[in-house]
Structure formats: C-alpha cells, structure tokens
Amino acid sequence: MSNALKLATSALPAFLVLLDFSEGTPPKRAFLLHVDDELISQTLARVNEMVIARETDKLHLRKIVIDFQQGSEIQLNDAKTFKAEIIRAIGSSASAYTEKKLAFLKLAGFDDGAFIVRFQLEGMENLKALVDATLGMGGQVHVRNLEMLTKRFGLEDPNSSKASSDGILEITQAFPAAKGTIRFRNTVTGASAEVHAEAYSSPLNDVLPESLKKIRFDCGNFDWFMRGDGSNAGFRSKLDPEQPLLIEELAHFLQILCLMHTPERLMVDLDFSDRQTSVVVKLSTEAESYSHLLDAVDLLLKTKAFFQDRGPLQYP
C-alpha cells in the first residue's frame, strides 16, 4: 500500500507495467496501466480506512489488488505502441495533466462534504433563529453538545473529533434559490407595485414541523414570507431610518403597504425562473394605511417630472 500511495499522490503521471513471463524469457506479452482517477480513489479509500483505524504505520504490510484488465496491452517489438499509450493517458500538456491531478487529489473522497457537525438546540426560539439563518439571512445560533468530525469516502474519522458542551453556530448568508419579481395588486382597482426579489428556502424543511416551513423573498426594502403550503404569509420591513432612500423606491414600498391595508383584495403574482403563479393573500389584520404619505411622495414625483428633473431624489 505504501508504494501504491506514493504513485497515487505523486504530481507526476504514474504507470504500472506487467510483463508476462509465463512462457519463459524474454516476456511475450506486456500490459500498461495508468494510475488514473479511479485507481487513485481506490488507493486513497483503502488508506483512509487505515488512517481511521490508526494503522498507517502498517501501510508497507498491506496489499492492494490491481486489475490489469483495465489497462492496455502493448507490443514489445514496437516502441510506438508504448509511447502512444503514454500520450493517450497524459495528453498533449504535461503541466495541464499535473494541474488536473492535483485538483483531483484535493477533492477526492469529499463528494459529500469534508466535515460533519452535530449539535443540539434547546428551545423554540433557537430553532426559529436557525430556520431564519438558513433562509439566506445568516446569523448566530446558540447550540449545545457541539461536535465536529472530518469525513472522507463516506467514513467519519473519530480521531478528528472536536467537541464542546456549549457554542455558537454561525450561519453565513446563502445564495438565493431563484431570482424574479413579485407584483402586489388590488384585484378591484388594479393598483399594483412590482419589485425584484430573491427566493430562499431552508435546507432544513424536510425535518421541520409544518408551522416552521416557509419561503423567504428578499425584496430589498422588505422581506415577504410564505409558509410552504401557502396557508400563511408575512411582511417585515427592513427600512433603516438612518439610511436615505430613493423616492421611487419609497413610493413602491408605500404602495405595497397601502395594498395590504385592504387584504381581502390583495393578489400576489410570483414570477421566478420562468415560472409564474398567483396567490390570494388573506391577512388576519389590516396593515396601517399610509395613503396620505404615498400621496405626498407621488406629488414629489410629479413635481420632478414637471421640471424634467432626472436626478436622484432621496428621503429623508
């Protein structure tokens, strides 16, 4: 195994040659086997088992079976066949081969990830915080009995275990599952406002109770939440009083709030990744009316248009 590991992890191309002396000398047949990705993975997987068992000091005592039927027969009286097989395996660029092999060695055995993290959550608030963090927002969650191990070729390495009775799990912001637009409209008056949005769903949905399964739509100045089965929806403003906002964006925001003031007439059109759907939103309580403020913002926009002012105007 020790020699097989050296061949597998060398940055240079590696080959095995089998000479057939069954009919005496000189040999009548010869086979060439390239130490390719498949053989490298087979070797590293065997070595990984020994690493976990803490038997790396016995590598030179272990053997690995090589199947030369996966190789190619070469003609002993024609050097061109040997050269052709070498070039076929390496390609026209030795540096490109080395770069590709090193990249493969770096990722081999980590198809399902390199680490396993186990922890316990205490309390519904921590569970809700974890769900929100995995909806693209990121954040920190207090956890108990935290343990982290490395994993390769599907095997956990208990020797790598790091444990703590108490800790903070930090979730980084994730990429959206889809991008599109959301249009809020009044089905009676036709008044509407459309915003660009990014959709996020939690990877924990398969193990969460129905009440916590939801989709988050990041609409810039606010978040729109919908339960997975569509039975509930919610709105959360992200406006920062300390940050100026373009008047056009403020008008969109206020228009949506005014539409929510009459929830029995509210329809939401979702258009994501060329998939369109419309849902009727039934809010349990009406949102506060901001129609007077919307009228003032609309007046500002009309004034800008009257004076042909194309420059940005911010509030406050």
Side-chain angles (χ1 to χ4, degrees):
M1 283 298 301
S2 57
N3 289 329
L5 180 61
K6 290 178 181 179
L7 293 176
T9 56
S10 171
L12 298 176
F15 295 87
L16 296 169
V17 177
L18 175 66
L19 299 177
D20 182 4
F21 289 94
S22 60
E23 298 181 13
T25 56
K28 303 299 181 182
R29 303 178 69 189
F31 299 86
L32 181 70
L33 178 64
H34 176 219
V35 182
D36 58 7
D37 292 352
E38 183 177 351
L39 186 53
I40 290 174
S41 293
Q42 179 184 348
T43 303
L44 294 181
R46 284 283 307 279
V47 172
N48 184 61
E49 293 175 0
M50 298 184 67
V51 169
I52 293 175
R54 295 186 176 183
E55 295 180 349
T56 52
D57 58 332
K58 300 178 182 179
L59 280 175
H60 63 291
L61 300 177
R62 297 291 188 268
K63 298 179 180 180
I64 184 171
V65 176
I66 302 297
D67 184 5
F68 275 89
Q69 289 185 352
Q70 304 299 320
S72 301
E73 185 171 2
I74 56 177
Q75 301 299 320
L76 292 175
N77 58 356
D78 184 3
K80 292 181 180 179
T81 61
F82 179 79
K83 178 181 178 181
E85 288 300 321
I86 296 292
I87 294 177
R88 185 176 67 84
I90 297 176
S92 58
S93 172
S95 60
Y97 174 92
T98 297
E99 183 178 350
K100 181 180 178 181
K101 183 176 181 179
L102 291 176
F104 179 80
L105 286 170
K106 188 176 181 180
L107 300 176
F110 300 120
D111 298 341
D112 297 325
F115 298 95
I116 292 179
V117 179
R118 296 188 179 96
F119 55 87
Q120 293 179 345
L121 289 173
E122 291 186 356
M124 182 58 69
E125 290 304 315
N126 279 325
L127 178 57
K128 290 180 178 179
L130 178 62
V131 173
D132 286 344
T134 58
L135 286 172
M137 293 179 285
Q140 295 182 340
V141 183
H142 182 256
V143 297
R144 301 293 302 274
N145 299 326
L146 180 68
E147 182 185 23
M148 184 175 70
L149 308 92
T150 60
K151 182 182 73 169
R152 194 173 191 186
F153 294 103
L155 299 178
E156 299 177 17
D157 183 2
N159 307 313
S160 66
S161 176
K162 304 293 182 182
S164 174
S165 61
D166 192 81
I168 298 295
L169 181 66
E170 183 165 350
I171 309 295
T172 58
Q173 293 185 351
F175 293 103
K179 296 182 179 181
T181 59
I182 299 180
R183 185 160 66 104
F184 299 82
R185 59 186 173 90
N186 187 302
T187 57
V188 176
T189 66
S192 67
E194 183 175 284
V195 293
H196 291 283
E198 297 178 339
Y200 297 85
S201 62
S202 174
L204 304 175
N205 277 348
D206 290 341
V207 296
L208 290 174
E210 290 298 326
S211 60
L212 292 181
K213 293 181 180 180
K214 56 186 176 180
I215 303 171
R216 169 180 169 253
F217 298 97
D218 183 352
C219 303
N221 294 318
F222 66 91
D223 284 332
W224 180 259
F225 295 93
M226 290 183 61
R227 189 174 289 180
D229 57 6
S231 62
N232 202 324
F235 174 94
R236 182 171 65 188
S237 171
K238 296 194 295 183
L239 288 185
D240 185 349
E242 303 298 325
Q243 294 295 325
L245 184 67
L246 290 175
I247 290 297
E248 290 80 3
E249 294 182 9
L250 180 59
H252 269 75
F253 181 80
L254 294 173
Q255 177 80 19
I256 292 171
L257 289 180
C258 289
L259 290 168
M260 291 183 184
H261 182 61
T262 53
E264 70 277 2
R265 303 172 181 173
L266 182 59
M267 179 77 75
V268 179
D269 302 319
L270 308 173
D271 187 350
F272 285 84
S273 303
D274 298 326
R275 293 183 179 181
Q276 297 85 28
T277 186
S278 297
V279 294
V280 177
V281 179
K282 298 179 180 179
L283 303 180
S284 57
T285 57
E286 293 184 357
E288 183 179 349
S289 175
Y290 289 87
S291 57
H292 60 289
L293 186 54
L294 178 60
D295 290 340
V297 172
D298 282 339
L299 181 59
L300 283 174
L301 290 173
K302 291 177 182 178
T303 303
K304 281 186 73 219
F306 178 81
F307 288 103
Q308 297 185 343
D309 181 358
R310 304 290 192 266
L313 180 61
Q314 296 180 332
Y315 174 86

